[in-house]
Amino acid sequence: MMALPPTLTPKQYLVHHSADQWEEFVYEWVMALKEAGYVDVVGMGGSNDRGADIAAFLTARKTDGPWHCYQCKHYDKALGPATAYPEILKIHSAVAEQQYMELPERYVFVAPKIGGTLTQLLAKPSELKLTFFAWTEKNTVKLLEEYGEGALQRALDRARQTDFSCFEAGNLDKILEQHATTPHHVRRFGAPLPDRPAREPAPPEHAAGETRYIQQLLDVYSEKWGYSSGSPDGARAHPKAVRNLQRQREAFYCAEQLRVFARDSVPTGTFESLQDDVHSGVVEVEERDFDTGYERLHAVLDAARDMQLGANVLLPVVKPDDRKGICHQLANENRLTWVQEDEQ
């Protein structure tokens, strides 16, 4: 038998990212740092990023107040001082020229691999500062051409006032651990979905958010069994209607639980895409001629149960009741109708 190819780890996937994909990954991670207390996170990358690829703001004053900077670097080789020094100079220049009013409280280099020399320098800020100024002296001619004499001097003056302990490197293992808590991890790395929580029963009382799909079901029961559909009382008094209504509510809440699970586990829009797939698969059935809404309802539910759902990332955790429940979610939004006007 032919052996299956080995599965790439997230670290191995990241090695093959482009610079833009790497920055997107870092942005997803920073957005997940809830404990940092960020009020907003903004991608600033580009040819004129002013020393910050991703800015995370601690107050509404943004870079006029306390903020953190994440500098994204993705190279074939490990990140070393020769790459870090120009970025350190750039952020000081941006502050000296008042492009930012404040230096970031934290300036984090984020790279697939940080070289040993830079790691050691970041662990000893005083030495990092000394070697930075040694680098600027060695490269004075080139830096004068790039910045101009006045701007370079202002940047260096600002750097002399800085405690270089603000510069650090991100730990990729910890970054991946935190990224795994985001809805983006499954899509980016093809990782398995987390376990879906145990299903909870539908609450005994009808919630305001159920109004439309329940009314549609009451119309179905009223048409079939001949009682007023204005309230659930008639359905509760009918043995078949009350059991059917309870089953449909359980399915609706199953799909609602899947909606919440998707919100926390996969990228925005994934669950809505699944709803659209179900709608596309059943709407032709819903539009057929039926003698009763009861027949239409069950024909649509059968079609949803049996249909192929494409390649949505949620499929491994989709249950039969989710499919039925999604139909009721669609009915709740008037995208499906059981008892149609020409049948009443």
Side-chain angles (χ1 to χ4, degrees), residues 210-282:
E210 297 182 78
T211 301
R212 179 56 188 149
Y213 90 90
I214 286 181
Q215 184 58 57
Q216 289 221 49
L217 289 170
L218 296 178
D219 291 343
V220 167
Y221 306 148
S222 174
E223 180 191 53
K224 182 171 178 61
W225 289 303
Y227 56 77
S228 173
S229 63
S231 74
D233 294 339
R236 293 192 185 103
H238 193 284
K240 289 186 177 180
V242 71
R243 290 196 298 271
N244 188 280
L245 178 60
Q246 183 60 27
R247 289 197 301 272
Q248 307 316 319
R249 291 189 68 234
E250 294 292 347
F252 176 82
Y253 273 93
C254 188
E256 286 295 292
Q257 184 212 46
L258 180 61
R259 185 203 299 271
V260 174
F261 174 81
R263 180 197 65 197
D264 297 336
S265 307
V266 294
T268 301
T270 303
F271 181 77
E272 290 72 18
S273 177
L274 180 64
Q275 284 183 313
D276 289 342
D277 287 345
V278 171
H279 182 263
S280 178
V282 303

Side-chain angles (χ1 to χ4, degrees), residues 10 25 32 39 71 75 79 99 104 109 125 135 149 179 250 342:
F25 164 74
V39 300
Q71 192 64 29
Y75 301 122
L79 189 68
Q99 293 167 333
F109 290 103
W135 170 82
E149 184 175 356
H179 189 272
E250 294 292 347
D342 57 354

